[in-house]
């Protein structure tokens, strides 16, 4: 079975597994007080050119998002996000479990727009007492988004501007940041310039697990670690996280992983287009959303794994194909070949 | 200044104030263990013909809704509601502060429809792990709704049916239940037949304050009072709540208050229609939502108070006019007279 | 039945009931935006000589304490209190329900001591990662305490000093502040000088209900009302709270109520001492804790109500007698007379 | 530097690292729906002879404890624990962050006693309304305890009995269960017979990370995974957890690790006793708590790492020495040799 189900089906990039073995008996200090974590932080700070950025590597995306909500917001403050945002739909209400409301805005192609924020923060005629509505305080975006699209630098600058207008924090979920860095004009440097905080995803980019939260805004740094610990987010063997990001941030491994993901996806996309396949979303990143005939899918099911996203109509289904650091070109080609056969066979 | 701002601008119905004075030195048992509360509960149980209904009188609507969410739901369970629902827009995220997500559905005229529930509970192709989305568990409705509309018995029966299909609780916010009982075919008996829990609003219907939560579903009753206390909802002098509902539930006072509210509203509505006024919503209850010219409103502002709801266009504004137990017919007529003058004067 | 069960068995002081009637149809602005609330705040600010104190009148003690915890603390911050503190034992874990831990310290006669704070905040050898223990941030005291004792000005000054040393907030629960103001050297002025926030209790001092939270520390004021609303603490008819405190804070009513409570208690205490009765705590305020023989209590039960606090041994029980603004001297004397008879009869 | 700081200073047992490498490209199903997790669960179920036990492997101890509190308890229910319990002192208030109070009982040698539970659950004269105190619902114990002691089967049976009397859940934190299984008469079978839920610790017993929560009580199983996800406890690559426990539960590896930990600790303890060293607690497990002279410690500091637990007096300090699967006999002997030299040198 060849899998395009997601980008977290393998354990980890070999460089990371090797590092785990080489360091096995080092005897590191617990709770992220170790040298690997320090080196990973330095490597990230160097890439973003922010000497005083706070780096805290947590275990997973949901955990990172909920701890950020919990640590960055006061109880009555809310997060603006699009309905397809991971926090809105795929985290079992983790943000709400910390007491904060998500204000869902329409968005466009999975992205929050300045207009969305304007509507959420503009005059609320109905709040006649000035305290009846939650207070929007943070904008949640993802790069890439859940539907594979990416923000451009200009789009991010516009969001930053309107965030400043309404005194909002800009927070970016970077679960698939490697792919985004490769297929957009947004660099880590830009992320650090425009976001108050963001995370560099590890789980979906070759790490066993781990997401490196980068806190730029000074007012968000204070005693963050207490809250991470309280919510179960401090790994006792924190150096395992540090070590992985030390590897990912060295020798352009993170960038190379993003590049490979996208190359495989581009190859796949090109082939799909040549076969006349439509897409529910036009994605430049490592997630593709083609629409296939059910009769064709029935045939491919035995050899290939993917995720079903939506029922288009009685004959067609929207699926998702994801490429990872471990995706092989031959597998992409085999998929395209078999798809072609089934289409022509119809 | 004559006020149509809301139905909670006066202290309380005179019968209630009198009762407070007459019972002043009785020396009642604290925390709702008193005889007034017991009598109020009996009166309510008699009206709904449910001997074993649990009645708990709390202090306000937001408090009642948040305690219900907290007591009735497990952490991952969510509430379905329309965006204009009080819990969604006017309670500063109180439900979310207890950790629960509100799933906003489109609705129709401020009411949740079976189709809404079907969409929220039907197959979720995206929850590929079966645990990534919150679990819908309660439907929140209001009778009357925030926009003045009411559910019919048939509509409630349909909701009940689909709630049963998806194992959902049906909870009704009755902040303005007196008005609804008067202008719909839904009786207290029907409420108790079809809802798992609902509250009979006091604050907006002549009480100083207080909402009587009626719990019908046995599985929701257990140790509810602990949770009410934990969330600050148990009034030390609980008999103050019991006493008020004892009065409201006696001699048809509650029904008479609803009738008066609606009579005043009907009178007002008839006059507005005669003047050719449009409405943003067609409401049969004690809240009216007329659209008036800004130039006219500017003139009326000195004599009359009301709430601005929405900007229709550059010339017109949607306002809300609310009648209460204390609204006088002469005031309604004065408003209509002055409005007529201003319109003709234009 | 003559009751010494507590100081909240009556509805309210007649002046307050009268005010409710006189203002019934005024038509006040909702959510504490009214003039009574403004006047009450001014009267309090004048008494404490703090022009910029934030006054927010909430509905009950548990509610006030939980909203204060919620608004004043970050998630990992904890409250230091004695085990008999109301938040530790009598609020069904309301503070914990907002996510904050109460650190219980030994205390002395129901009071937190500087030594307690020193122990709670001093070096913690066990927190080897510097984030494993919650961070003490607020000291919770009550004036009077749950066991009827009072802090002196000197004791409060010492607490303030050690709070400053460890960057702790000092918060005082004033549920029975009227009695405390009468029997200690601590004035409202001193309270405002030494506490970051405190509340002036209404429920137990002649109000129907209501506690006036006084926030002195500027850093605690911001957007407090949002959080009060979110936790169900904003009464729609907020002026009912304002009005009551306007009355209580005028014409020395609050002070007179405290004085009467204490005079009745002193009269009772003197009589008990003359009968050779022991006490579990020596209280100068309106709560007395005598130890009586079970055989004697069995006789008094028919005529008098009180609360059982502790089993001393097989023959004796510790009870609590509380006096209120409504306690009559003749009732105190009747109790003493009947007690004397029963003791001599033994 | 030879470390006795803790039992989680190494990455993982070599068998586990090897398994990670061998399975790297398997392409497992996400969110614990994989075969390794299923096999790990089967192995555990076989050891405890409970076919229907629910097994959920989470990432760390604090996370497991907080998710258990969150999933097993209603909002007003509290946990009984000793002050040295991990949840009370070393989890930054994680349990309280889920809204639940920890009731601290005195305990004996780090263990909860039946008498403690009796006192916490017996008659509470002060809860005059029956809802003012939190409701004890779960007893939290650890095996081994934080101070290295272990419960015997008889002690566990007594706890179970009193838990049944008061309708309490018995929950055991097994962070160091491997050591406990080796040095007590309590087997996994007994754990499953007497506890409602417990976890088998991985992090401190050779795993990279991971704790296998075993839920025996049927009423606690329902929809547990939703809550685990909501609190950030579902690892996307859940098979990483399953794989590790598959290894640990095979070929007696878990038992062998416990045995080695204890053999090293016994060797160390024997040597310390021969040198006349006192202990703050008499521990049979892999944590030892000797009291050493500061002058001696000053000398050992350069070669050996350990944790300081308590200041005994001006001359002496209580330290903790922990042995792990990776502790070497020669290192224990070197420590004893150097200690002997320093003691004699004095």
């Amino acid at each position: 079975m060849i899998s395009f189900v997601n980008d977290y089906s393998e354990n980890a990039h070999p460089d990371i597994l090797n590092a785990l073995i080489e360091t096995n008996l080092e005897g590191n200090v617990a709770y992220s007080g170790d040298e690997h974590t320090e080196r990973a932080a330095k490597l990230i700070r160097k890439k973003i050119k922010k000497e005083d950025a706070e780096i805290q590597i947590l275990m997973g995306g949901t955990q990172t998002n909920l701890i950020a909500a919990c640590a960055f917001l006061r109880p009555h403050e809310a997060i603006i996000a699009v309905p397809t945002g991971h926090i809105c739909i795929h985290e079992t209400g983790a943000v709400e479990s910390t007491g904060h409301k998500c204000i869902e805005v329409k968005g466009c192609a999975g992205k929050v727009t300045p207009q969305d924020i304007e509507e959420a923060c503009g005059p609320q005629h109905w709040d006649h007492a000035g305290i009846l509505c939650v207070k929007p305080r943070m904008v949640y975006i993802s790069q890439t988004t859940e539907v594979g699209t990416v923000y451009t630098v200009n789009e991010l600058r516009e969001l930053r501007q309107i965030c400043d207008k309404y005194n909002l924090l800009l927070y970016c979920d970077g679960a698939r940041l490697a792919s985004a860095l490769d297929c957009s004009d947004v660099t880590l440097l830009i992320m650090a310039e425009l976001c108050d905080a963001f995370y560099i995803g590890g789980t979906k980019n070759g790490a066993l697990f781990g997401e490196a939260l980068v806190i730029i805004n000074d007012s968000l740094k204070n005693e963050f670690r207490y809250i991470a610990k309280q919510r179960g987010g401090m790994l006792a063997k924190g150096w395992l996280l540090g070590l992985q990001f030390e590897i990912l941030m060295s020798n352009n491994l993170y960038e190379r992983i993003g590049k490979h993901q996208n190359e495989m996806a581009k190859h796949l996309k090109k082939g799909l287009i040549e076969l006349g396949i439509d897409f529910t979303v036009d994605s430049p990143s490592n997630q593709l959303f083609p629409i296939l005939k059910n009769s064709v899918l029935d045939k491919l099911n035995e050899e290939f794994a993917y995720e079903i996203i939506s029922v288009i109509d009685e004959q067609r289904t929207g699926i998702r194909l994801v490429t990872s650091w471990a995706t092989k070109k031959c597998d992409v080609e085999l998929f395209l070949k078999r798809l072609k056969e089934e289409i022509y066979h119809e």
Side-chain angles (χ1 to χ4, degrees), chain A:
Chain A
M1 179 74 81
I2 292 164
S3 174
F4 297 101
V5 168
N6 58 45
D7 33 18
Y8 51 100
S9 291
E10 291 75 31
N11 293 359
H13 191 280
D15 290 2
I16 282 175
L17 292 183
N18 288 337
L20 283 177
I21 288 167
E22 281 167 17
T23 61
N24 194 24
L25 299 179
E26 274 184 5
N28 280 288
V29 173
Y31 292 109
S32 301
D34 65 284
E35 292 178 9
H36 296 291
T37 299
E38 187 44 38
R39 279 200 290 271
K42 272 188 192 154
L43 288 164
I44 292 171
R45 286 192 195 105
K46 198 175 163 193
K47 279 177 194 282
I48 62 175
K49 294 188 184 165
K50 299 268 182 193
E51 287 296 306
D52 55 355
E54 167 98 2
I55 316 292
Q56 192 66 42
I57 315 178
L58 300 164
M59 288 177 261
T62 297
Q63 189 183 83
T64 305
N65 291 335
L66 84 85
I67 291 172
C70 187
F72 296 166
L73 303 178
R74 289 189 66 204
H76 61 298
E77 294 176 340
I79 301 177
I80 294 171
V82 292
T84 52
H86 206 260
I87 57 167
C88 292
I89 192 163
H90 277 159
E91 302 189 352
T92 326
V95 163
E96 288 85 358
S97 86
T98 71
H100 301 283
K101 188 182 178 77
C102 292
I103 300 171
E104 294 191 5
V105 293
K106 211 169 35 180
C108 178
K111 293 188 275 183
V112 178
T113 69
Q115 180 61 21
D116 289 327
I117 296 175
E118 196 63 61
E119 281 167 25
C121 300
Q124 301 284 327
H125 290 300
W126 269 49
D127 192 351
H128 41 280
I131 54 163
L132 303 186
C133 299
V134 289
K135 196 179 172 194
R137 173 68 175 136
M138 189 152 94
V139 174
Y140 168 94
I141 60 173
S142 333
Q143 179 82 328
T144 70
T145 70
E146 288 292 297
V147 299
T149 53
V150 289
Y151 290 87
T152 64
V153 173
N154 280 345
E155 286 171 335
L156 282 191
R157 284 205 193 282
E158 281 174 20
L159 286 183
R160 177 73 267 166
Q161 215 164 11
I162 196 156
C163 283
D164 288 343
K165 174 177 173 187
Y166 288 114
N167 192 28
L168 301 170
L169 301 168
L170 184 58
Y171 171 84
C172 182
D173 180 326
R176 291 191 171 93
L177 194 53
S179 174
L181 291 175
D182 179 72
C183 71
S184 77
D185 57 352
V186 177
T187 60
L188 280 177
L189 206 62
I190 292 287
M191 291 291 285
E193 181 197 331
L194 298 176
C195 298
D196 293 284
F198 66 99
Y199 80 79
I200 303 173
T203 303
K204 293 171 179 169
N205 303 293
L208 273 174
F209 63 100
E211 324 294 320
L213 180 64
V214 181
I215 310 177
I216 305 296
N217 184 325
D218 279 343
S219 73
L220 305 179
K221 294 172 185 172
N222 190 33
E223 300 186 350
F224 181 86
R225 279 161 50 88
Y226 276 96
I227 292 168
K229 171 64 185 166
Q230 184 186 60
R231 304 291 157 156
M234 291 299 291
L235 194 63
K237 300 182 184 176
W239 70 86
L240 295 177
L241 295 162
L243 177 64
Q244 293 184 80
F245 274 86
E246 191 183 358
I247 304 294
L248 285 173
M249 293 294 118
S250 298
N251 303 316
N252 288 321
L253 178 57
Y254 199 72
E255 291 79 358
R256 284 184 284 135
I257 284 173
K259 187 154 181 274
H260 178 79
Q261 290 172 336
N262 289 354
E263 278 175 358
M264 292 303 104
K266 271 180 225 161
H267 198 61
L268 186 53
K269 188 177 178 182
K270 185 160 164 286
L272 291 166
I273 289 170
E274 285 170 8
L275 290 170
I277 303 296
D278 282 337
F279 297 81
T280 54
V281 193
D282 182 24
S283 158
S285 69
N286 73 321
Q287 297 184 88
L288 300 177
F289 296 85
I291 298 168
L292 294 180
K293 284 199 178 164
N294 299 345
S295 53
V296 168
L297 283 174
D298 288 346
K299 298 289 174 46
L300 297 174
N301 280 345
E302 287 160 34
E303 290 168 76
F304 303 97
Y306 51 85
E307 204 175 291
I308 292 174
I309 299 297
S310 56
V311 172
I312 304 299
D313 55 32
E314 285 189 13
Q315 271 87 44
R316 298 177 308 158
T317 297
I319 69 165
R320 187 182 71 162
L321 300 173
V322 192
T323 57
S324 84
W325 65 267
T327 302
K328 286 178 280 185
K329 193 166 181 183
C330 59
D331 290 341
V332 170
E333 288 174 349
L334 184 60
F335 178 83
L336 291 170
K337 177 168 170 289
R338 290 284 299 109
L339 177 61
K340 188 173 178 179
E341 288 166 12
E342 292 305 333
I343 288 172
Y344 286 4
H345 183 78
E346 289 264 305

